[in-house]
Every structure is written in C-alpha cells, then in structure tokens.
C-alpha cells in the first residue's frame, strides 16, 4: 500500500501503526479502499452525528474519489478526534493519542480485554432468581437459558446474538471470541422506554445447581460473565428465600467478579413468601454464605423485598413489613437512577486504572526482555523467568517503586506469557512512560476542569 505525504507526515510511527490497524479493520474487503458503507460502519463507533460524519467524509475525500485511501483515512480520523465536546470525547482522544501507543508497543491488549471508545453497559443481573424487567418477561427458568441485553429501541423486537455481534453500532463484537455456541444463547431485546435511554440491562441465564451442574455448558459461562462485568456499572446478584445455596458454578461466577467489588449489590427477592422469623434466618444464612465467597472485609449491600408488579403479601409481615419492603425498593430504584451519573465518574476511574496497569505492564515486559541472554540459552532462561515470575514482579516493583497491589495476577500472566518469545519484546521506552504520566498528571485534571458530568 502506497503511503503518501500530508496527514501521515504529522503522525508519529506509533500512531501510524494504530491507524494502519484500524484501516485494515475498516477495509472489509481488503482492497486498500474504504467505501461509504465501510466508513459508515466504522465511524459510527465515534458517536458523531450523521451530519458531522458527512462533513468528515467531505473534507477527507477532497479529491471526490468516492472512497478513502490510507492517507484520507488518517485525515478523517484526525478530524473526527479533533472536536472534544465532553469528558468522554476527551478520554477517547487521550486514549488514541497517548495511551494506546504504549499498549500496542508492549502488547497490553493480549493480556487484558481491549478498550474501544469507552462504551459501557449499565447493569448486569445474575443469579438463580427469576426477573421481570420493565414489563418484559425475562424469566423464570427454564426460559432464562440465554444472555439477554435489554436496550432502547423504536419498537419491540429481538435481535439474534450472531447479528448483534457484527453490528458496528453495538459494542458486542468482542463476544465473537466465545464462539457460535455462546452467540446462539445470546440476544438483544429492544423496546421503547424512557429508562432504557440511559440504562442498558443484561440478564444472565439461571445459574445451574445440584445435578444440573454436571451438564456442561457449550461455552465459557464464567468468561462471558466476566466480559460483561468489566463493562457494566452495576452488578446485581439475585437470590430468593428458597434458593440460597451458592452452587459451584455460581461460586465461580462470583469469584470471577473480583476487582469489581464496588459494583456488586445483592437482591433477596420474593421475601414476602416467608414470615418474619424465617426471613431473619434466611438473611443470616445468605450473609454467611456470601461471606465465604466474596472474601471482603466490608458487608455487601443486600436489598430485601418482593420486586415485581404484584402487591406485597401483608399476611406474613403486616404493615411494618410492607413499609420495609417499600423502603428497600425505593433504595434500589435510587441506586439504579444514580447509574448514569456514576457511570461518567466510573469511566474516568477505570481509564486511570487502565493507564496505570498499562504502565506496570510495560515495566514488566521490558524487564523480561532485559533479562534474556543475547545468544545462548534463551529457552531455558525464559522458562526460568516464567517459573519465578512472582520474584520478577518483586524486582520490577522495587526498581520503579510501584505499589504491589497494582500488579496483575501471577498465574494468569504466566499462562499468557508462555505463548511468547521474550527476546522479541520491546525494551523500555521512558518517553512513552512519560507521556502517560503527563496524561495522568495534567491532561485528565485539565479535562475535568473544562467539562462537568452531564448528569450533575
């Protein structure tokens, strides 16, 4: 592919690599040209209006060729990123220009899930209790054998998982890695509702327990749940008084949520189906069971009530029980209403966390590269480094004065490292580290000064 002058000349080599990756991604037929359809699908991810996209195309395709070559594509990318109108726009621009070059250089995306335009889901529901959401029947078992995303739409319709995963304007392309077996158990349910204009819901299948656990799912259930958990703003674990047991599968799911403890809430549903004395015992048993799995010093928030459109059964609790359930329901609804406001703050928080993690990753990768011999014994040295990875982490931590709690999981890191040749890793590039430090120290604070949370 011929690379001309113009916008490319003003790009660093690291940015050119990134633009080339995206050009190849957008060029669906691989002919070196991005047509109108390809451009529409790709640039739709920028959340620019259709009118703005038309202007971007008109400027980039100055020769009126009817397509974008590599040089014109870079011009379009730079134009689309030049306008910062919100905190999220600013984070996108900082990611593209300052953080992603570091990630690409040290293969950060191979070790964690990639970040693309900071698109977030809002709420993840998982557990063994049935759900009724916005009047749409999402449960009970055995109808809940699939992941269902509930989103805003002009009319009521369901979109199959294989279709959703390839739609350019939806952030589910990463789910293709879980295979057709999962996508056949995944769907998107759209409906017109004012709440869904601000919140997207994800309902998981009912968690298997007892003998059912021996029936293996055809896809990585825990992996899929982790994928959604990393991208959502609130996680609700659902229980009811008659299904308090935390099965092996549910335990694996909860364990996979570590690192997202601040997002987790617990809902004890159908609480009006037992009397006061039984509810006290049920609540105590639930807290005891969760304490063994969550392993956190803080007590998790548990909402107690009967969360459906039916009146509360007053015969079991009386008016005091009804008042308790109504207050708990109000608290839960308040938590849900705060999601959009908290989502902006959470994205900033997770962006900063990712930047710090990418820095530590760069230090680790460059350290492993430095420890490799120039000529003989490379395979033996590499295996020794993998076997003693915890010690190598300690060396990196002491050399660069890094907090030990920010380092990745050793076993997970070992598993991925085994597929690489350490001598092909990049050496440490202090200038790239300094760019990220400046971003964290100056650019993000300036961004927060210039723009405010739109939900404040």
């Amino acid at each position: 592919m011929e690379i001309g002058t113009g916008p490319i000349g003003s790009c660093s080599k690291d940015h050119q690599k990134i633009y080339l990756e995206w050009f190849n991604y957008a060029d669906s037929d691989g002919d070196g040209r991005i047509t109108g359809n390809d451009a529409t699908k790709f640039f739709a991810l920028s959340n620019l209006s259709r009118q703005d996209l038309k202007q971007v195309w008109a400027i980039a395709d100055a020769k009126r060729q009817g397509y974008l070559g590599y040089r014109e594509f870079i011009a379009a990318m730079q134009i689309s990123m030049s306008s910062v109108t919100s905190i999220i726009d600013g984070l996108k621009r900082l990611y593209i220009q300052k953080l992603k070059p570091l990630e690409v250089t040290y293969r950060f995306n191979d070790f964690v899930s990639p970040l693309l335009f900071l698109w977030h889901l809002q709420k993840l529901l998982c557990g063994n209790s049935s759900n009724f959401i916005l009047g749409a029947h999402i449960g009970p078992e055995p109808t809940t054998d699939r992941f269902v995303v509930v989103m805003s739409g002009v009319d009521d319709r369901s979109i199959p998982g294989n279709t959703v995963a390839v739609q350019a304007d939806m952030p589910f392309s990463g789910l293709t890695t879980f295979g057709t077996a999962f996508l056949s158990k995944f769907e998107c349910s759209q409906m017109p509702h004012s709440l869904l204009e601000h919140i997207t819901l994800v309902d998981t299948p009912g968690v298997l327990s007892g003998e059912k656990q021996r029936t293996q799912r055809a896809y990585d259930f825990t992996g899929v749940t982790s994928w959604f958990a990393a991208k959502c703003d609130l996680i609700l674990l659902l229980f009811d008084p008659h299904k308090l047991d935390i099965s092996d599968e549910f335990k694996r799911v909860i364990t996979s949520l570590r690192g997202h403890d601040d997002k987790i809430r617990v809902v004890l549903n159908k609480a009006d189906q037992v009397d006061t004395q039984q509810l006290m015992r049920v609540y105590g048993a639930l807290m005891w069971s969760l304490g063994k799995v969550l392993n956190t010093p803080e007590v998790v928030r548990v909402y107690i009530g009967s969360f459906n459109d039916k009146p509360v059964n007053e015969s079991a609790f009386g008016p005091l029980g009804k008042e308790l359930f109504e207050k708990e329901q109000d608290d839960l609804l308040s938590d849900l209403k705060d999601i959009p406001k908290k989502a902006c703050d959470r994205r900033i928080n997770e962006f900063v966390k990712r930047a710090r993690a990418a820095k530590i990753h760069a230090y680790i990768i460059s350290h492993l590269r430095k420890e490799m011999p120039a000529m003989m014994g490379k395979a033996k040295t590499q295996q020794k480094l993998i076997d003693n990875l915890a010690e190598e982490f300690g060396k990196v931590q002491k050399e660069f004065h890094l907090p030990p709690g920010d380092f990745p999981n050793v076993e997970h890191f070992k598993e991925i490292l085994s597929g690489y040749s350490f001598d092909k890793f990049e050496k440490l590039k202090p200038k790239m580290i300094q760019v990220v430090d400046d971003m964290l120290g100056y650019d993000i604070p300036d961004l927060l000064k210039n723009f405010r949370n739109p939900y404040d």
Side-chain angles (χ1 to χ4, degrees):
M1 180 186 300
E2 182 180 354
I3 299 177
T5 58
I8 296 176
S10 61
C11 289
S12 67
K13 290 183 179 180
D14 292 319
H15 284 159
Q16 288 183 33
K17 287 181 182 178
I18 296 169
Y19 287 138
L20 184 58
E21 284 182 20
W22 284 358
F23 180 83
N24 292 332
Y25 174 79
D27 183 16
S28 59
D29 55 4
D31 63 352
R33 300 179 177 185
I34 295 179
T35 60
N37 288 335
D38 289 337
T40 300
K41 292 178 182 178
F42 181 80
F43 286 102
L45 296 170
S46 67
N47 291 328
L48 291 174
S49 68
R50 195 169 186 84
Q51 187 61 34
D52 289 340
L53 290 176
K54 287 181 179 179
Q55 293 178 6
V56 170
W57 177 275
I59 296 171
D61 185 23
K63 297 179 181 179
R64 300 296 184 266
Q65 302 174 106
Y67 64 87
L68 301 182
Y70 181 55
R71 183 175 61 185
E72 292 80 18
F73 174 77
I74 290 183
M77 287 293 294
Q78 292 177 335
I79 294 167
S80 64
M81 293 188 300
S82 62
S83 176
V84 177
T85 59
S86 68
I87 290 176
I88 302 304
D89 284 343
L91 292 179
K92 292 175 187 176
R93 187 175 183 182
L94 289 175
Y95 177 68
I96 299 296
Q97 295 180 350
K98 301 196 173 184
L99 181 55
K100 189 154 190 178
L102 182 75
E103 294 186 357
V104 171
T105 300
Y106 295 100
R107 309 184 189 190
F108 183 62
N109 288 338
D110 294 349
F111 292 76
V112 297
S113 60
L115 179 71
L116 181 62
F117 293 122
L118 297 130
W119 200 99
H120 266 230
L121 301 166
Q122 301 291 335
K123 188 171 74 151
L124 174 66
L125 301 158
C126 59
N128 49 22
S129 179
S130 58
N131 303 289
F132 289 81
I133 302 175
L134 305 176
H137 187 199
I138 308 298
E141 299 89 351
T143 62
T144 54
D145 67 338
R146 59 188 60 235
F147 283 80
V148 181
V149 175
V150 185
M151 303 178 69
S152 177
V154 293
D155 53 12
D156 292 354
R157 65 170 183 154
S158 292
I159 308 173
N162 283 286
T163 303
V164 174
V166 297
Q167 286 191 231
D169 59 342
M170 289 191 177
F172 302 114
S173 59
L175 291 172
T176 56
T177 58
F178 296 102
T180 306
F182 163 71
L183 294 176
S184 65
K185 296 291 185 180
F186 172 56
E187 69 179 49
C188 175
S189 179
Q190 293 186 328
M191 63 183 70
H193 196 285
S194 58
L195 178 63
L196 292 178
E197 294 175 4
H198 305 283
I199 293 177
T200 298
L201 308 174
V202 181
D203 184 51
T204 71
V207 178
L208 300 178
S209 60
E211 290 295 321
K212 293 180 182 179
Q213 293 181 87
R214 298 184 181 181
T215 305
Q216 295 294 321
R217 298 185 192 266
Y219 60 90
D220 182 5
F221 178 76
T222 303
V224 173
T225 306
S226 298
W227 189 93
F228 279 112
K231 294 166 178 60
C232 74
D233 294 300
L234 191 67
I235 302 169
L236 296 184
L237 303 179
L238 305 174
F239 295 86
D240 69 51
H242 307 293
K243 298 177 182 177
L244 287 180
D245 60 309
I246 299 180
S247 64
D248 292 341
E249 183 176 60
F250 202 5
K251 184 176 180 179
R252 288 194 296 271
V253 168
I254 295 175
T255 301
S256 72
L257 300 179
R258 286 177 183 165
H260 308 294
D261 301 338
D262 58 324
K263 302 179 185 180
I264 297 176
R265 307 289 187 275
V266 176
V267 175
L268 180 58
N269 197 17
K270 304 179 186 177
D272 63 343
Q273 295 185 3
V274 295
D275 59 32
T276 306
Q277 184 181 26
Q278 290 174 328
L279 181 58
M280 291 177 62
R281 292 174 178 172
V282 165
Y283 181 81
L286 176 59
M287 297 301 291
W288 180 80
S289 298
L290 288 172
K292 294 196 302 180
V293 179
L294 291 175
N295 291 325
T296 56
E298 300 85 6
V299 177
V300 66
R301 177 65 165 98
V302 179
Y303 296 100
I304 304 172
S306 184
F307 302 97
N308 54 46
D309 54 358
K310 297 178 181 178
V312 174
N313 179 15
E314 289 191 51
S315 60
F317 288 92
L320 290 178
K322 181 181 179 182
E323 183 181 356
L324 169 65
F325 291 166
E326 288 175 349
K327 287 182 177 179
E328 289 286 284
Q329 182 168 313
D330 290 342
D331 287 349
L332 177 58
L333 290 175
S334 296
D335 215 351
L336 298 182
K337 290 176 182 176
D338 282 344
I339 288 178
K341 181 178 180 180
K342 294 177 181 177
C344 185
D345 296 332
R346 189 182 300 281
R347 290 173 195 179
I348 298 169
N349 182 55
E350 292 187 359
F351 184 89
V352 172
K353 280 170 56 179
R354 184 180 179 94
R356 288 175 176 162
K359 266 182 56 182
I360 289 179
H361 178 84
Y363 283 130
I364 293 171
I365 293 298
S366 60
H367 170 79
L368 296 175
R369 168 69 176 82
K370 184 178 69 174
E371 295 296 311
M372 291 295 289
M375 296 292 290
M376 305 293 291
K378 291 184 178 182
K380 187 176 180 180
T381 302
Q382 176 166 327
Q383 189 57 50
K384 184 179 179 181
L385 289 170
I386 292 176
D387 293 340
N388 301 316
L389 190 60
E391 294 179 14
E392 301 305 320
F393 278 10
K395 292 178 184 177
V396 174
Q397 186 227 327
K398 290 178 181 178
E399 181 179 356
F400 297 101
H401 308 288
L402 303 171
D406 287 354
F407 277 72
N409 180 274
V410 174
E411 296 304 321
H412 176 69
F413 213 83
K414 280 183 180 181
E415 185 179 341
I416 301 176
L417 277 176
S418 60
Y420 290 92
S421 297
F422 291 4
D423 59 321
K424 294 183 180 178
F425 286 157
E426 293 285 345
K427 295 180 180 179
L428 185 63
K429 298 182 178 181
K431 288 185 179 179
M432 297 186 77
I433 299 291
Q434 188 60 48
V435 167
V436 174
D437 284 337
D438 291 343
M439 179 190 74
L440 294 173
Y442 302 104
D443 296 331
I444 292 180
D446 287 346
L447 184 66
L448 298 179
K449 285 181 184 177
N450 295 329
F451 298 99
R452 55 194 291 266
N453 191 327
Y455 290 93
D456 282 343

